[in-house]
Amino acid sequence: MKPNLVIGNWKMNGDQQTNEVLLRNVLASQTNEGHLEVAICPPFPYLASVAAHLQDTNVVLGAQNLSPATHGAFTGEVSASMLRDIGCRYVLVGHSERRALFGETNEVVAQKFAAAIEQGLIPVLCVGETLDERRAGITNSVVTTQMTAVIKHAGIEKLTRGVIAYEPVWAIGTGETASPEQAQAVHQHIRGVIGSFNKQAAIDLQILYGGSVKADNAKALFSQPDIDGGLIGGASLDAASFIAICNAARINPRGTA
Ligand code: 13P
């Protein structure tokens, strides 16, 4: 069984000075206790300096985005091999902000996912419904469609080499969190979709919850049987909050000893 996983997504926040203070505080609190891996995804310009801070610690590096292309004339883009080169282990793919604000379609997301796998990165596929979609009762089918695009492009085996993050769009940055039961229901659905292809891969898959995870709601979310950690936005910018969220995830994954 893989450990739980907590990823801090700094989004477009921070500068050299605030990053340094935040990292120093977060790293001072890291222990090897519990079944947990912690990753931090800073903005591109800070990947190298954060990588240097993380060296010889048990916190790993991730990126927030990548190009589907391998190299060449793509001004402003960053490739999977560059992310590997700088020391990334994870890369977020298809975050709802990229889908909504930068026009990323399911097909582009699938290409990015495959590009990440190709270079040995672990893509974190973000899926989730809008409020209108939830109200229309189509949450599960939206999430299935988002996963199916990757399965069609890259195949089920590659999808299971990644991580899936369920982030209901209506819960991101709003202070409104999916209840543990609402989140669990979608996580169970996601695991079920994978399980219809490969039962063992479904058991092994890490499925994270994201959307206004805070110190005071993390434990209830992470205690759900199909929630294997969190993808944390705002609260990852505050050392005390992020540390508390990490500690809430230092529990045995899905009831294993
Ligand atoms: P918040 O934790 O700020 O709601 O953001 C969640 C998110 O989008 C993480 O990727």
Side-chain angles (χ1 to χ4, degrees):
M1 182 75 62
K2 288 179 188 159
N4 292 325
L5 175 61
V6 171
I7 302 178
N9 173 11
W10 287 359
K11 305 192 180 181
M12 198 172 73
N13 293 292
D15 56 35
Q16 299 204 65
Q17 201 190 340
T18 56
N19 293 348
E20 170 135 19
V21 174
L22 177 56
L23 279 176
R24 203 179 322 120
N25 290 331
V26 167
L27 292 173
S29 77
Q30 286 304 312
T31 71
N32 284 323
E33 268 169 45
H35 304 261
L36 180 67
E37 181 168 49
V38 177
I40 287 177
C41 301
F44 284 143
Y46 303 123
L47 281 171
S49 60
V50 172
H53 277 288
L54 299 185
Q55 196 133 40
D56 302 323
T57 75
N58 53 8
V59 177
V60 299
L61 188 68
Q64 299 175 17
N65 186 27
L66 81 165
S67 169
T70 55
H71 66 282
F74 299 100
T75 302
E77 290 289 274
V78 174
S79 71
S81 62
M82 292 171 185
L83 297 180
R84 273 303 277 176
D85 191 33
I86 205 79
C88 286
R89 174 167 164 83
Y90 293 98
V91 60
L92 308 184
V93 172
H95 191 282
S96 70
E97 286 149 17
R98 299 223 48 92
R99 293 177 189 262
L101 303 174
F102 302 99
E104 287 191 12
T105 60
N106 279 331
E107 288 64 40
V108 168
V109 172
Q111 288 166 17
K112 291 185 173 196
F113 189 99
I117 291 280
E118 219 47 57
Q119 287 298 325
L121 291 163
I122 303 175
V124 179
L125 174 68
C126 303
V127 299
E129 81 289 5
T130 63
L131 190 54
D132 283 349
E133 289 163 342
R134 173 159 285 265
R135 286 189 176 137
I138 56 171
T139 296
N140 285 355
S141 73
V142 168
V143 165
T144 305
T145 301
Q146 290 167 333
M147 293 165 67
T148 303
V150 175
I151 296 169
K152 273 198 188 133
H153 180 79
I156 183 69
E157 192 275 330
K158 283 189 179 152
L159 178 57
T160 61
R161 282 199 258 157
V163 171
I164 295 184
Y166 168 56
E167 297 207 305
V169 178
W170 49 272
I172 294 177
T174 59
E176 195 175 335
T177 320
S179 70
E181 295 73 25
Q182 282 175 320
Q184 165 58 25
V186 182
H187 281 231
Q188 193 175 8
H189 169 74
I190 290 169
R191 209 178 294 287
V193 171
I194 302 294
S196 68
F197 293 92
N198 182 329
K199 285 206 164 41
Q200 188 57 45
I203 292 167
D204 292 340
L205 183 72
Q206 290 161 308
I207 309 175
L208 312 184
Y209 170 79
S212 297
V213 178
K214 307 284 180 221
D216 61 2
N217 60 25
K219 189 90 185 195
L221 287 159
F222 300 160
S223 304
Q224 295 295 314
D226 287 297
I227 300 185
D228 305 315
L231 180 52
I232 319 300
S236 71
L237 300 171
D238 175 73
S241 299
F242 190 62
I243 291 162
I245 291 168
C246 291
N247 289 338
R250 292 183 197 284
I251 50 181
N252 289 344
R254 278 172 262 150
T256 54

